Amino acid sequence: MINKKNLWFLTLFSLVLVLSIYYVTMPNEIFDKNIKETTTDNSTTKVEETSIISALKVEDDNNVMDKINSLKEKLTSTDISTEEKNSVFEELKLLNKNSSKEETIELKIKELCNCENFVKIDGDNIRVVLDSKDSNTSNANNIMRLVQNEFDDKMYISVKYN
């Protein structure tokens, strides 16, 4: 019979395992891209636009991992109550759900606009950054509709072009 401790352990272990496999299987080009696209010209550094999207993604991944680690520490702590552990676990589930929703939206925007993009969900605010010089309002409206269709509740969506 599985008790609550074992269930918590299995759930957290599964989450850690899935995230570990995700990071291990990520292509190295994502990290090498920033290095290759940075060029030196007369002692000044010029950063290509696509590296901004990559930098945003890497920074967001680091923030999410830090948040997951702090939440896991809280879950394994013996100082907090069961109700607090449940709320921490729900926060972990929401974080995981938002990450997968961000990836889904990024893929749909890439299909629609054929450009690299970054999506960040923060509560009911959604930030979309596009790597495109074609900044027209109809395209931004289409992206906003596409993103809103992914949610049941009203979301506040901002679209920025780089």
Side-chain angles (χ1 to χ4, degrees):
M1 186 87 187
I2 295 179
N3 61 22
K4 285 186 179 182
K5 277 187 178 179
N6 289 341
L7 182 62
W8 277 105
F9 174 76
L10 288 174
T11 305
L12 288 177
F13 181 74
S14 300
L15 181 65
V16 170
L17 183 65
V18 167
L19 289 174
S20 300
I21 291 171
Y22 172 75
Y23 281 105
V24 168
T25 59
M26 276 179 54
N28 288 336
E29 292 85 38
I30 291 174
F31 301 111
D32 295 340
K33 194 174 193 179
N34 285 341
I35 296 169
K36 290 178 184 176
E37 291 177 352
T38 305
T39 59
T40 305
D41 186 5
N42 294 335
S43 73
T44 61
T45 304
K46 180 181 175 185
V47 178
E48 295 291 326
E49 292 296 326
T50 55
S51 68
I52 292 172
I53 300 295
S54 298
L56 285 171
K57 288 181 180 181
V58 169
E59 180 183 355
D60 184 53
D61 286 344
N62 288 338
N63 289 340
V64 168
M65 286 306 296
D66 289 344
K67 181 113 177 155
I68 287 173
N69 288 336
S70 71
L71 290 173
K72 284 194 297 186
E73 285 178 18
K74 287 181 184 177
L75 277 176
T76 58
S77 172
T78 58
D79 298 336
I80 63 174
S81 68
T82 306
E83 291 83 22
E84 291 172 322
K85 285 186 179 187
N86 285 337
S87 67
V88 169
F89 182 71
E90 291 299 320
E91 194 173 344
L92 264 174
K93 280 179 29 180
L94 178 65
L95 197 61
N96 197 18
K97 178 183 171 189
N98 283 348
S99 293
S100 64
K101 186 68 85 170
E102 288 168 357
E103 285 183 35
T104 303
I105 293 171
E106 284 177 3
L107 289 174
K108 287 184 178 185
I109 292 174
K110 189 169 186 171
E111 289 175 6
L112 177 71
C113 300
N114 199 21
C115 66
E116 289 296 318
N117 62 81
F118 170 76
V119 176
K120 180 62 184 164
I121 300 172
D122 186 18
D124 61 351
N125 295 316
I126 300 175
R127 184 176 67 152
V128 178
V129 180
L130 297 170
D131 182 24
S132 175
K133 293 182 180 14
D134 180 30
S135 60
N136 60 33
T137 55
S138 66
N139 197 21
N141 284 334
N142 289 337
I143 291 170
M144 292 171 119
R145 282 189 200 100
L146 181 138
V147 172
Q148 184 59 55
N149 286 337
E150 294 292 316
F151 297 93
D152 296 331
D153 297 331
K154 172 73 175 137
M155 304 303 275
Y156 300 99
I157 305 162
S158 66
V159 177
K160 180 181 176 188
Y161 289 90
N162 273 339

